Amino acid sequence: VNCASFSEALAESQLFGHKRGAFTGAQCDYDGQIRSADGGTLFLDEIAELSLPVQAKLLRFLETGEVIGLGESQSRQVDVRLVAATHRDLFQMVEQGLFRADLFYRLQVVPIELPPLRMRQGDIDWLLARFMNEFAERYTLHMPRLTSKARGVIRRHPWPGNVRELRNMAERLVILHSGKSVDVDNLPHELRSPD
C-alpha cells in the first residue's frame, strides 16, 4: 500500500476501514487494508506521508493488534505483520515533530537500510537484466542486446530516480529496441555522457 497515494481525509478509512454511512460517500462497509491483510503481511510504502493522527491510530494498532474502523464502536483483533518503507530520514522527521517518536521506535524492530542504486553499482546489471526479461515476456518481445559502452554508461549514471528509473528505462529499451543491439546513442538522453 502506497501511503502517499492517500489523501489525508481518506487515509484512515483506507487503512482501518469504515462502516456504511460513516462519512459522505461511504455507501458500504469497507474492511480497510489492515483487516484485509489479516493472517498475512502488509507493506506500507512511504509511511512518512501519513498524517500525525493516522500515525497515532497505526501505533495503537501495533500495540494492541486491534482495529476500529470509522463509524464503528467495536474493535476487531487482527494478526498482521507490518513492513514499512520510506525514502525519508524518519529520525530527522521525529526531531522536527513530523513523525511520531513512539511509532518510529515501534517500527524499528528489524531496520533495513537500503542504499540508493548509485551506491550499489554491482546490482545494476542484475536488475536491468531482470527488468528487461520481465518486460520482454509481458509484451512478447525480445530482449535488446546492450553493447559494452552502453553498459558502462548505465553503470556510471547516478540514478536519481533509483530503481524505478532503471525499471522504466528497461521497459523503454525493450519496447523501442526489441531484439536489437543498443549502443550509447540508443540510451535515453539523460543517461548519455555530455561529450
Side-chain angles (χ1 to χ4, degrees):
V1 175
N2 187 337
C3 297
S5 68
F6 300 143
S7 69
E8 187 172 342
L10 289 179
E12 186 175 350
S13 167
Q14 288 296 310
L15 289 174
F16 302 99
H18 61 258
K19 196 158 184 63
R20 180 178 184 227
F23 55 88
T24 305
Q27 298 177 355
C28 60
D29 290 350
Y30 174 65
D31 275 347
Q33 299 290 340
I34 292 173
R35 283 189 269 200
S36 296
D38 192 12
T41 302
L42 178 63
F43 174 56
L44 295 179
D45 196 11
E46 299 302 346
I47 195 165
E49 305 307 316
L50 293 176
S51 68
L52 290 171
V54 175
Q55 290 177 32
K57 194 163 182 178
L58 184 60
L59 176 65
R60 181 187 178 282
F61 160 69
L62 289 172
E63 290 176 346
T64 65
E66 296 177 348
V67 175
I68 301 175
L70 291 171
E72 296 177 347
S73 56
Q74 295 285 351
S75 64
R76 192 178 333 163
Q77 193 75 29
V78 292
D79 178 23
V80 174
R81 177 186 10 225
L82 189 70
V83 177
T86 184
H87 72 282
R88 295 187 184 224
D89 182 340
L90 286 183
F91 187 74
Q92 184 179 43
M93 289 183 71
V94 166
E95 290 179 335
Q96 296 168 345
L98 301 172
F99 198 84
R100 293 182 59 102
D102 45 5
L103 179 58
F104 172 76
Y105 291 112
R106 191 76 161 125
L107 292 170
Q108 288 288 10
V109 176
V110 181
I112 300 171
E113 258 189 65
L114 188 60
L117 189 56
R118 68 181 169 275
M119 306 295 284
R120 300 179 290 133
Q121 289 185 333
D123 293 348
I124 291 172
D125 285 338
W126 180 85
L127 287 169
L128 181 59
R130 183 194 177 284
F131 292 144
M132 286 196 306
N133 187 54
E134 173 189 335
F135 291 117
E137 286 180 11
R138 178 183 298 174
Y139 301 126
T140 58
L141 296 171
H142 298 284
M143 283 183 45
R145 296 175 308 280
L146 299 173
T147 65
S148 60
K149 278 186 169 182
R151 285 188 186 281
V153 167
I154 290 168
R155 281 189 208 107
R156 287 188 301 276
H157 183 64
W159 299 104
N162 231 329
V163 175
R164 287 182 183 106
E165 181 185 3
L166 180 66
R167 188 174 190 275
N168 289 342
M169 186 203 63
E171 184 174 15
R172 184 183 316 167
L173 291 175
V174 168
I175 291 170
L176 297 177
H177 305 286
S178 172
K180 298 176 187 165
S181 180
V182 173
D183 202 1
V184 175
D185 292 342
N186 305 117
L187 295 176
H189 179 70
E190 61 272 15
L191 266 72
R192 291 184 227 146
S193 55
D195 51 314

